Amino acid sequence: MITNNIDIKNKYLKENLIAYIGNKRRLLPFIENVFLEILDKDKNIKTALDLFAGSGSVSRLLKTLDLEVYSNDWEYYSYILNYAHININIEDTKNMFMHMGGLQNTIETINNISRIKNKDRYISKYYSPKNDYNPDLKNERLFYTQYNGTKIDIIRHNIEELYKNNAINQKEYFYLIASLIYESATHTNTSGVFKAFHSGFGGRNKDALSRILTPISLKELPLYNGKNGYVSMLDANEFVIKNKDKKFDLVYLDPPYNQHQYGSNYHLLNTIALWDKPKINKKIYINGKKTDKGGIRKDWIKTKSDYCYKKTAKNSLINLLENINANHIVMSYSTDGIIEFDDLISILENKGTLKIETSEYVKYRGAKRSIVNKTKNIEYLFIVDTRKSKVKHNNDNHLKIKYIENIRLKLNNPVNASKDYLLFEGKEGNIKLNLKYSVHIINVEEICAELKNKSVDYIKRFSLFLDKYIKENNLDTLKIYFSHLKKAVLINDIKLIKYFANHILKIYARLCSKKSNEYILEITNELLDIIYKYDNINAVNKIKKRMIYNISHSGISDIKKNKILIKLEK
């Protein structure tokens, strides 16, 4: 029984979460530990508010902690998703869809409908090609295959008809739409957001083709038996003003960190949720002029967030915190957030006693990759106890956290050294950086732990010391790895060849710009010689495939490109 409950919890926390900017799925263990520590110290916590709920991962986590959860988000698709997962328990489904023969029968009935009138089509008409096997890459939107666009139309149309005819109630209506939203967010010809789509299904690399082509169908939602939940759809600042008289025991804040507006990035999910079929041009080009390629809803600006702009984010947060009535506030924020770290500290300390926890995580990859080798980031959890006096602490302690975590990110990058260690010498003691193959720092945690006992000035000087050796730029990194690969080839060290070939492959996967491809050209002939000599090594073979892809889609001239491709494809 215990194992079964664990399985139910795992499914509830991990499944049916849409790919989402800022999704906390991978950080849930880190966030849960912080929540559990607060719950352990304060036994009176009964209510929790997730104010920027998004895809609902943290709202679900709070529900599994036996709390009465209030889940709020401004976007309608988010409201539907969180209504289904927070308001509905597993036990509720036993008495749902009684007029339709139960939950499973309802899902099967809708999934088996195969026809729809042309007048009722929308997604298949405006966001899918007419022919999946011969799409017009210039003039048709390719968010979905025609097959899946039609399935969305059929399913959504019939859900609406059932609701209008009182065959299902609101709870059942939201349940079905939530299932469709997840399917529509998953089997889409995009990298996760809906501002653009791949040119051709699966894009140039075709690596997501299976996900994109998998047929859409309604499925049962992973649910959890917990306390009654409450879901709302308000601007966060408006919510706290309207609920100023209600005291929450625990409030979790996860405001947008950057310029990405959710209303425009996930506009199609709102369209499917609302099923209001906003007017849009069927073709991208009208009279030879390119129109709205992404087909973005014009009313997305209704939920335009002030937290996405540097000039308004800080004041919005100040206003929010002034109106929050809670004993404990936990706020997520990132190293690349719009609000400056020092400002965050000052704002949060005005609310109560502040503690900071940190965790490293891999960045969301929906956007273009940078030449700079920063694929990781630091997530901060600011923990405020509003019951304790608002005492200003020595900011050095908070600054230390910021500097050390930024150093931790640096230490994940390769160094350019001639020995198997680097030594930083300072008045407060020396720090030794142990290296693997004179490239990778292997005692990162030990270094960061040691820095916690040093002064801010010492930590700053150590960071400057690192800048002399560490390479965060992908081009510089590639040069280091290639230099070591050539040395390994000279001594015919297969272990080293595999090691550096694998790291070169990782860098190739990040290089997408014309500039980077120009450097690839410089080393191509030498790299090809290595590839043909060690063609039986899997890592080297993968480099060959990546080179073919990179060169094929680079901005270099066709003459140069064809010469290299001929040699590569021999």
Side-chain angles (χ1 to χ4, degrees), residues 13 17 23-25 28 53 55-62 82:
L13 293 179
L17 285 168
N23 193 332
K24 295 297 181 288
R25 178 176 6 196
L28 283 184
S55 64
S57 57
V58 176
S59 289
R60 295 192 205 182
L61 172 62
L62 290 165
N82 291 316

Side-chain angles (χ1 to χ4, degrees), residues 451-506:
L451 288 173
K452 289 178 182 178
N453 301 316
K454 308 297 184 184
S455 67
V456 170
D457 183 62
Y458 181 96
I459 295 168
K460 283 182 178 179
R461 284 188 285 109
F462 179 72
S463 183
L464 291 172
F465 167 82
L466 292 178
D467 291 341
K468 298 176 186 177
Y469 298 96
I470 284 181
K471 302 299 178 185
E472 294 184 272
N473 184 293
N474 277 314
L475 300 183
D476 293 335
T477 298
L478 186 59
K479 290 174 185 177
I480 291 173
Y481 289 149
F482 188 60
S483 171
H484 283 275
L485 180 65
K486 287 194 289 185
K487 291 175 185 176
V489 168
L490 285 175
I491 59 175
N492 198 30
D493 189 323
I494 301 298
K495 184 179 178 181
L496 279 180
I497 291 169
K498 286 182 178 180
Y499 183 83
F500 286 107
N502 271 316
H503 283 285
I504 286 173
L505 180 63
K506 289 177 185 177

Side-chain angles (χ1 to χ4, degrees), residues 339-356:
I339 303 174
E340 295 292 336
F341 186 89
D342 293 358
D343 289 336
L344 276 174
I345 298 300
S346 299
I347 294 167
L348 291 165
E349 280 193 329
N350 280 330
K351 194 70 179 178
T353 302
L354 177 64
K355 181 184 174 184
I356 305 174

Side-chain angles (χ1 to χ4, degrees), residues 16-23 25 55 77 182 185-186 188 190-194 211 262 265-266 269 364:
N16 276 62
L17 285 168
I18 64 175
Y20 205 62
I21 299 170
N23 193 332
R25 178 176 6 196
S55 64
Y77 62 83
Y182 173 74
T186 303
T188 173
T190 72
S191 298
V193 296
F194 291 85
R211 169 182 61 79
Y262 289 86
N265 276 292
Y266 300 97
L269 300 187
Y364 175 77

Side-chain angles (χ1 to χ4, degrees), residues 105-115 151 154-155:
N105 188 64
T106 304
I107 287 175
E108 287 176 14
T109 299
I110 297 174
N111 283 339
N112 288 331
I113 300 171
S114 59
R115 295 187 180 184
K151 287 300 293 184
I154 291 171
I155 292 170

Side-chain angles (χ1 to χ4, degrees), residues 139-389:
N139 217 12
E140 292 182 314
R141 297 184 184 91
L142 271 63
F143 284 100
Y144 298 100
T145 61
Q146 174 60 215
Y147 179 87
N148 274 337
T150 300
K151 287 300 293 184
I152 293 171
D153 287 335
I154 291 171
I155 292 170
R156 188 63 187 87
H157 170 75
N158 281 281
I159 293 172
E160 199 66 21
E161 289 299 301
L162 289 171
Y163 187 55
K164 284 179 180 177
N165 293 319
N166 297 317
I168 57 175
N169 60 32
Q170 187 183 65
K171 182 186 283 189
E172 295 161 345
Y173 177 64
F174 286 162
Y175 181 103
L176 295 174
I177 297 175
S179 179
L180 180 59
I181 289 173
Y182 173 74
E183 287 286 297
S184 302
T186 303
H187 305 297
T188 173
N189 188 41
T190 72
S191 298
V193 296
F194 291 85
K195 278 194 168 180
F197 45 84
H198 296 311
S199 178
F201 289 114
R204 290 170 176 167
N205 213 20
K206 308 294 182 187
D207 54 352
L209 203 55
S210 175
R211 169 182 61 79
I212 294 161
L213 298 181
T214 297
I216 284 175
S217 63
L218 291 181
K219 295 177 179 67
E220 288 189 42
L221 301 177
L223 299 176
Y224 189 85
N225 285 328
K227 291 184 176 176
N228 290 337
Y230 304 89
V231 181
S232 54
M233 186 177 56
L234 291 170
D235 166 61
N237 288 57
E238 183 184 349
F239 179 96
V240 294
I241 291 172
K242 283 190 172 183
N243 293 276
K244 199 169 183 179
D245 294 334
K246 179 173 177 56
K247 186 152 194 169
F248 294 96
D249 299 320
L250 172 64
V251 173
Y252 175 71
L253 304 178
D254 186 24
Y257 303 162
N258 48 43
Q259 76 279 9
H260 298 298
Q261 292 283 355
Y262 289 86
S264 57
N265 276 292
Y266 300 97
H267 65 97
L268 257 183
L269 300 187
N270 268 335
T271 293
I272 292 167
L274 291 162
W275 208 233
D276 53 354
K277 301 179 181 178
K279 189 177 180 181
I280 184 175
N281 291 324
K282 187 172 182 179
K283 300 293 184 182
I284 294 171
Y285 283 85
I286 304 296
N287 297 324
K289 187 178 179 181
K290 191 175 183 180
T291 58
D292 182 11
K293 184 177 180 180
I296 298 173
R297 300 174 62 95
K298 301 298 184 288
D299 64 352
W300 76 264
I301 58 171
K302 289 179 181 178
T303 56
K304 187 162 66 170
S305 175
D306 287 340
Y307 289 92
C308 295
Y309 301 101
K310 198 171 183 69
K311 63 181 181 181
T312 53
K314 179 180 171 182
N315 286 335
S316 293
L317 181 62
I318 292 170
N319 175 266
L320 183 77
L321 289 167
E322 283 176 351
N323 290 294
I324 285 179
N325 189 2
N327 289 331
H328 304 274
I329 299 171
V330 177
M331 177 175 166
S332 285
Y333 215 69
S334 167
T335 41
D336 58 358
I338 285 174
I339 303 174
E340 295 292 336
F341 186 89
D342 293 358
D343 289 336
L344 276 174
I345 298 300
S346 299
I347 294 167
L348 291 165
E349 280 193 329
N350 280 330
K351 194 70 179 178
T353 302
L354 177 64
K355 181 184 174 184
I356 305 174
E357 298 286 351
T358 62
S359 177
E360 188 179 286
Y361 72 101
V362 178
K363 281 186 178 181
Y364 175 77
R365 291 173 179 256
K368 288 184 179 179
R369 293 169 185 158
S370 168
I371 293 253
V372 179
N373 188 20
K374 291 182 179 178
T375 58
K376 292 188 176 180
N377 213 338
I378 296 294
E379 180 84 3
Y380 292 92
L381 277 183
F382 297 96
I383 306 149
V384 182
D385 190 334
T386 65
R387 303 168 303 168
K388 297 183 179 180
S389 58

